[in-house]
């Protein structure tokens, strides 16, 4: 089974920790399990068609997901989150540090899950490995009910 994972990256191709909508680029990886080993490879690096910043960071409120209540509820703002799906065609996961409810809802409506990446990770290879370890642990966790 092969899955596609997309993550926001900056101009130097390091993991971008702000709102994915404001990332300069996206890196798309294929992840496959071969002989019980997870193998990942870069499929493409694409420019974010919605990037409007100068350098690595856009508007501070938007990049830090601190939009006003009016902005969050506006149809125009909500539609931007759906437009991001055009970059993520065929991807099942978005790796991100910061994201808003609108993005989570938009992606969820199209079957794309978000893998939370901690702020201490900067290399894209480490982000994928962190995601794979988390997914592996989550798949093997079982709930046990103990009688008191």
């Amino acid at each position: 089974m092969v899955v596609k994972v997309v993550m926001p990256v900056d101009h130097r191709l390091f993991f971008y920790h702000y709102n994915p909508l404001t990332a300069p680029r996206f890196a798309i990886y294929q992840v496959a399990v071969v002989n019980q080993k997870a193998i990942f490879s870069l499929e493409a690096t694409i420019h974010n068609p919605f990037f409007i910043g100068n350098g690595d960071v856009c508007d501070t409120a938007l990049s830090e997901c601190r939009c006003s209540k009016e902005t969050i509820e506006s149809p125009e703002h909500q539609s931007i989150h759906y437009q991001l799906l055009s970059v993520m065609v065929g991807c099942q996961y978005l790796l991100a540090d910061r994201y808003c409810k609108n993005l989570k809802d938009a992606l969820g409506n199209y079957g794309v899950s978000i893998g939370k990446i901690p702020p201490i990770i900067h290399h894209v290879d480490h982000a994928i490995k962190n995601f794979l370890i988390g997914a592996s642990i989550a798949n093997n966790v079982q709930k046990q009910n103990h009688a008191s």
Side-chain angles (χ1 to χ4, degrees):
M1 180 171 112
V2 176
V3 295
K4 287 173 68 173
V5 176
V6 62
M7 71 178 82
V9 293
D10 64 19
H11 291 295
R12 297 172 298 152
L13 301 180
F14 284 107
F15 190 85
Y16 182 82
H17 284 279
Y18 298 98
N19 180 349
L21 288 169
T22 65
R25 297 179 183 185
F26 292 97
I28 300 174
Y29 281 83
Q30 285 191 3
V31 180
V33 176
V34 178
N35 296 326
Q36 298 182 342
K37 290 185 180 182
I39 298 173
F40 59 93
S41 60
L42 180 64
E43 180 179 294
T45 303
I46 57 175
H47 291 278
N48 180 356
F50 310 109
F51 180 69
I52 54 172
N54 298 327
D56 279 342
V57 180
C58 295
D59 171 75
T60 303
L62 181 60
S63 67
E64 293 181 357
C65 297
R66 291 187 290 115
C67 297
S68 68
K69 183 178 180 184
E70 294 79 28
T71 300
I72 291 169
E73 293 175 352
S74 79
E76 294 85 14
H77 182 77
Q78 291 175 0
S79 71
I80 291 170
H81 295 84
Y82 283 94
Q83 291 173 6
L84 185 59
L85 288 161
S86 66
V87 173
M88 303 172 51
V89 173
C91 293
Q92 291 85 13
Y93 297 95
L94 167 69
L95 305 187
D97 180 0
R98 297 180 187 176
Y99 53 90
C100 66
K101 181 183 178 313
N102 285 346
L103 181 60
K104 184 177 180 180
D105 291 347
L107 297 181
N109 287 339
Y110 283 86
V112 178
S113 299
I114 298 178
K116 178 85 165 119
I117 299 300
I120 61 169
I121 292 179
H122 300 288
H123 294 281
V124 293
D125 288 0
H126 296 160
I128 293 227
K129 289 175 183 177
N130 179 276
F131 167 72
L132 292 173
I133 289 168
S136 173
I137 290 170
N139 285 337
N140 292 312
V141 171
Q142 294 179 354
K143 181 180 178 183
Q144 290 185 346
N145 292 320
H146 296 283
S148 325

